[in-house]
Structure formats: structure tokens, C-alpha cells
Amino acid sequence: MASRETKLNEIRTDVISSYRMNIGKKKEIEVLFRAIRILKNKMSSFVYSELDNLFLALDDKSIMADILSQYKLFECSFVQSWELQSMYHDIVKLYTETLKRRKKNTFGKLRVQSGSKAEYFKRDTVNNKKGDLKSYSITMKETGVTKLVKYLGVFGIEETDSIESLQDKYPVVYDLMSYYKTVKPELYQRAVVFATKLRLKVVRSVYKMTFTTGSVEEEVPLDRCRQRIEFSQSYDIAEARSIFPE
């Protein structure tokens, strides 16, 4: 145990006392990382506030492009523009992947029961008697109504929204919605309400992400960090200190 502690101390001493590192640079790294951590959490809060739009952006490239361009709101002198953009896009990606999974689990599994199948033991066994239930399964199927609810939820269609914009890009979706909206308006309205509740459930189930590291890259080793600081003049330590005072 003592031998292992000695090795860790030797490694720590070697890293900190490297010819590229000194106490002043180490202090600058700490201040800068605190500022970046705050910056990342501000980005996370902003993206979290845009979850409704981000959900719609999963199927709309124009909305996604608009959200991705918002990194410019966080411009600062202590991080290069490309690093800032990369940081922001990574955060958007984290939220996007979470929404995709929950959207698939919710809207991708909309089915109604079409039947069931029961299997019984045909002879006595050690643990069961003849006629006991051996297995039971339910068969599910997709219907026009389940497709309607899925499309209404995925495209974020509210009760008063027009569906005309879907006609050219998604003709199959438009035809299905148009049929129910025209022929079965009451069913269409109920489907809209239900789809809206499902969509909100998906969005509200996503928790706001809080970052505990201040590195531009998650958990960057210290040796890589000091090289970034030493050879990159992209940061303004004065501005970093103003965001997170010592």
C-alpha cells in the first residue's frame, strides 16, 4: 500500500514540477477551467430551455441548424471560436441523443392489442399439472390511429395547426392526417391531445445536465491541459477571472 502511495506521489510531483508547468500557470489553468465550467453549464441551461424546439429539430434540419448556430450567444475571449462551437455542439448532441432514445421508446412503440395466445401443459410435470398455464403472450399491431398519434407527436402538430406544410415533404403523413381531420374530426382532435401529452412527457423526462469539469474536453489529463494552455493564446485570463473571481 505504501509503495502504491509513493508511486502516486511521484507521478503527481512529476506532473506539477514539469519544466512546462509552474505555480502561476497552474493557477491560471484552475481559474480558466472554473470559467469554462460555468460557461458549459450556461450552455446546458440554454439548450435545456430549448428542449421543445430541439424535439421538433429531430425531424427538421432547419430548426436544428438554427439551434446549432446559437453558440454565438456565448462568445468570449478566453476560448477560441471553434472550441466554443465544438463545446456547444457537443452539449446539443448530448441532449439530442437523450431525446432520440426517449422519443423512440415512446412513439416508436405505439401499438394496440390484436390478440393473445395462451399455451397450457399437456401432461403432468414435476412442478405443474396438466392444464396449468405454460405461457401467455399478447400480439400487438400498428393501426391508422396509432400512426396518426405518432406523426402528430413527432411533428408537434397542435389542434389549431395547419398540416399543409407536410404535403410536399411528407405526402403519406399528410394524407393520413388529412383523412382523419376531414372524415373523423373528433377522433383527430382526441389524437392531437394525446400526442401532445406524449410529446411533453418525453421532453419533460429529460433532466438538465450539470457539468462538474471545466475542461474544454471532458476530463482532459493535466499533461494535455498544460500543453493547451502553454501553446494556445486563445484565452483571456482577465476575463476568465471576471467570470469566476478567485
Side-chain angles (χ1 to χ4, degrees):
M1 185 68 179
S3 175
R4 182 179 180 184
E5 288 179 355
T6 301
K7 288 182 179 179
L8 289 175
N9 288 332
E10 288 175 354
I11 294 173
R12 188 180 300 109
T13 302
D14 178 66
V15 170
I16 294 177
S17 62
S18 169
Y19 73 96
R20 291 177 176 171
M21 174 62 70
N22 56 47
I23 295 177
K25 288 180 181 179
K26 180 174 178 292
K27 191 66 175 178
E28 288 186 359
I29 292 175
E30 292 173 348
V31 173
L32 178 62
F33 275 16
R34 291 190 191 106
I36 292 178
R37 185 186 68 224
I38 292 176
L39 178 62
K40 288 166 65 177
N41 283 323
K42 286 183 177 179
M43 290 178 174
S44 178
S45 296
F46 174 78
V47 177
Y48 182 77
S49 70
E50 293 290 318
L51 281 184
D52 288 322
N53 289 329
L54 189 59
F55 180 90
L56 300 179
L58 298 178
D59 294 283
D60 193 319
K61 292 183 179 179
S62 62
I63 298 178
M64 181 61 78
D66 181 62
I67 292 176
L68 291 175
S69 69
Q70 299 305 311
Y71 77 92
K72 299 175 183 178
L73 296 173
F74 302 94
E75 286 186 351
C76 52
S77 61
F78 59 88
V79 178
Q80 286 188 9
S81 180
W82 70 266
E83 290 178 311
L84 187 74
Q85 182 180 18
S86 177
M87 214 188 320
Y88 176 78
H89 285 186
D90 286 344
I91 293 173
V92 172
K93 183 179 179 180
L94 288 173
Y95 279 108
T96 298
E97 289 177 346
T98 302
L99 278 175
K100 280 182 178 179
R101 288 194 303 270
R102 303 196 177 189
K103 170 189 169 184
K104 181 179 180 180
N105 290 336
T106 300
F107 289 100
K109 296 181 179 180
L110 285 176
R111 302 287 190 275
V112 295
Q113 183 175 337
S114 61
S116 60
K117 181 180 179 181
E119 186 177 355
Y120 301 91
F121 284 93
K122 298 180 179 180
R123 59 180 64 88
D124 292 341
T125 66
V126 176
N127 299 315
N128 300 95
K129 294 182 179 180
K130 180 179 179 181
D132 286 350
L133 182 65
K134 185 176 183 180
S135 65
Y136 181 81
S137 61
I138 296 176
T139 55
M140 309 293 289
K141 69 176 182 179
E142 193 175 40
T143 67
V145 175
T146 60
K147 290 180 181 179
L148 175 65
V149 173
K150 179 175 70 175
Y151 294 144
L152 288 170
V154 167
F155 291 102
I157 304 297
E158 301 288 350
E159 188 172 350
T160 57
D161 289 346
S162 171
I163 61 174
E164 300 304 320
S165 59
L166 301 173
Q167 186 170 10
D168 294 331
K169 196 171 183 180
Y170 304 100
V172 175
V173 175
Y174 172 78
D175 290 342
L176 180 68
M177 289 186 182
S178 181
Y179 167 77
Y180 280 98
K181 190 173 185 179
T182 305
V183 180
K184 301 180 179 180
E186 292 184 359
L187 180 58
Y188 178 83
Q189 291 176 3
R190 292 201 301 272
V192 169
V193 173
F194 184 55
T196 301
K197 289 181 179 179
L198 288 179
R199 187 178 74 255
L200 292 177
K201 180 181 178 181
V202 170
V203 173
R204 300 296 179 261
S205 69
V206 178
Y207 292 97
K208 183 166 71 172
M209 300 176 188
T210 301
F211 295 91
T212 57
T213 172
S215 58
V216 176
E217 301 175 22
E218 283 297 305
E219 302 297 341
V220 178
L222 186 58
D223 58 338
R224 288 178 59 193
C225 293
R226 69 164 180 263
Q227 291 177 22
R228 175 189 293 276
I229 297 298
E230 183 158 353
F231 297 111
S232 172
Q233 299 301 319
S234 65
Y235 71 96
D236 184 338
I237 198 66
E239 183 176 348
R241 284 199 175 102
S242 70
I243 292 179
F244 195 96
E246 296 181 55

mmCIF file of all heavy atoms in Angstrom, residues 200-201 203:
data_model
loop_
_atom_site.group_PDB
_atom_site.id
_atom_site.type_symbol
_atom_site.label_atom_id
_atom_site.label_comp_id
_atom_site.label_asym_id
_atom_site.label_seq_id
_atom_site.Cartn_x
_atom_site.Cartn_y
_atom_site.Cartn_z
ATOM 1 N N LEU A 200 -44.909 16.062 -24.606
ATOM 2 C CA LEU A 200 -44.493 16.804 -23.412
ATOM 3 C C LEU A 200 -43.885 15.871 -22.368
ATOM 4 O O LEU A 200 -42.948 16.242 -21.658
ATOM 5 C CB LEU A 200 -45.691 17.558 -22.810
ATOM 6 C CG LEU A 200 -46.228 18.719 -23.649
ATOM 7 C CD1 LEU A 200 -47.459 19.325 -22.982
ATOM 8 C CD2 LEU A 200 -45.158 19.789 -23.840
ATOM 9 N N LYS A 201 -44.421 14.669 -22.304
ATOM 10 C CA LYS A 201 -43.874 13.676 -21.364
ATOM 11 C C LYS A 201 -42.435 13.342 -21.729
ATOM 12 O O LYS A 201 -41.567 13.229 -20.843
ATOM 13 C CB LYS A 201 -44.730 12.407 -21.380
ATOM 14 C CG LYS A 201 -44.237 11.321 -20.441
ATOM 15 C CD LYS A 201 -45.115 10.076 -20.532
ATOM 16 C CE LYS A 201 -44.584 8.964 -19.626
ATOM 17 N NZ LYS A 201 -45.411 7.731 -19.722
ATOM 18 N N VAL A 203 -40.296 15.255 -23.469
ATOM 19 C CA VAL A 203 -39.451 16.435 -23.237
ATOM 20 C C VAL A 203 -39.205 16.656 -21.753
ATOM 21 O O VAL A 203 -38.079 16.918 -21.319
ATOM 22 C CB VAL A 203 -40.106 17.691 -23.867
ATOM 23 C CG1 VAL A 203 -39.328 18.948 -23.478
ATOM 24 C CG2 VAL A 203 -40.166 17.559 -25.378
#
